[in-house]
Amino acid sequence: MQLDGILFDKDGTLFDFARTWNSWAGELIAETCRGEPERAERLAAALRYDLGAQAFRPDSPVIAGTNREAAELAVSALPEWTVEDMEVHLMESAARLVQVPATDLAPLLEALRRAGLKLGVMTNDTEYAARAHLDQAGVTEFFDMVIGFDSGYGAKPDPEPLLAFATAQGLAPGRVAMVGDSTHDLIAGRAAGMVCIAVLTGTALEHELAPFADHVFPDIGHLTGGLAAA
């Protein structure tokens, strides 16, 4: 397979979703609801978060949704908040979170760059939080472009932000791989005419992703060997 670029999703792809976001959400709910059980239960139900298991339910819209969508869900349970204030609250809380990498990121990204590939991130999180997380992981320098849902190109599953990366880097979409852990990522990649690669470090299972993917890898650490063998 001949590729000139790789565009990564962030949560569940560069970083392990469950090991990063499940505990954060539990803490966020407790903090936002000031320990009041009834309010916490309402907020958890709106976000599709299991308070007992301290984990997002697989059908939670928050997993692949935008920060705005998460804020709207939260405000449906806590109407004393405005969506705008909740957006800022979620963004600032998320940006402080220390992410758990899905693999040893720096050596992988360095190898991909040495191979001549342009690298980017397109996340339905905010660009602010995305840059904060990449900075924390010490890998910002490896990426040619970082796109959030609020960067002006739209959000997945719309293909426009993916095509914006290809255009900005002077790449043909068919020679770019979209790597992600959700059907949002893969549907956007297919609509953009890109190679679609699924990874299993999010919440979706292989049988859910495989129909939308050209390849399915356990995690992004398998990219170099997997693509060479494709």
Side-chain angles (χ1 to χ4, degrees), residues 41-128:
E41 288 172 8
R42 288 203 312 272
L43 180 55
L47 300 178
R48 299 294 295 154
Y49 181 83
D50 187 326
L51 285 173
Q54 287 285 288
F56 280 102
R57 300 184 188 278
D59 64 347
S60 172
V62 176
I63 293 169
T66 66
N67 189 64
R68 176 80 180 192
E69 290 167 337
E72 289 170 346
L73 289 172
V75 170
S76 73
L78 303 176
E80 66 272 22
W81 285 76
T82 67
V83 172
E84 292 73 20
D85 285 346
M86 182 62 74
E87 275 194 284
V88 173
H89 178 58
L90 294 178
M91 178 184 70
E92 291 179 344
S93 176
R96 293 191 297 269
L97 176 66
V98 177
Q99 295 263 19
V100 179
T103 191
D104 195 356
L105 292 177
L108 170 66
L109 297 170
E110 185 176 12
L112 295 173
R113 288 299 297 263
R114 281 202 311 267
L117 294 167
K118 296 286 188 178
L119 304 180
V121 174
M122 197 286 123
T123 175
N124 277 355
D125 199 353
T126 64
E127 182 178 334
Y128 174 85

Side-chain angles (χ1 to χ4, degrees), residues 1-6 8 108 112 117 176-177 179 195-197 214-215 217 220-230:
M1 182 189 308
Q2 296 297 313
L3 293 176
D4 297 321
I6 300 179
F8 293 91
L108 170 66
L112 295 173
L117 294 167
V176 176
V179 183
V195 176
C196 297
I197 298 174
D214 298 300
H215 307 279
F217 297 145
I220 59 172
H222 291 73
L223 272 175
T224 51
L227 291 177

Side-chain angles (χ1 to χ4, degrees), residues 14-59:
L14 291 172
F15 303 102
D16 185 287
F17 185 90
R19 294 169 64 201
T20 297
W21 291 99
N22 281 342
S23 60
W24 168 83
E27 293 168 3
L28 175 82
I29 289 169
E31 174 196 344
T32 304
C33 297
R34 304 185 186 88
E36 297 175 25
E38 289 185 5
R39 295 177 78 236
E41 288 172 8
R42 288 203 312 272
L43 180 55
L47 300 178
R48 299 294 295 154
Y49 181 83
D50 187 326
L51 285 173
Q54 287 285 288
F56 280 102
R57 300 184 188 278
D59 64 347

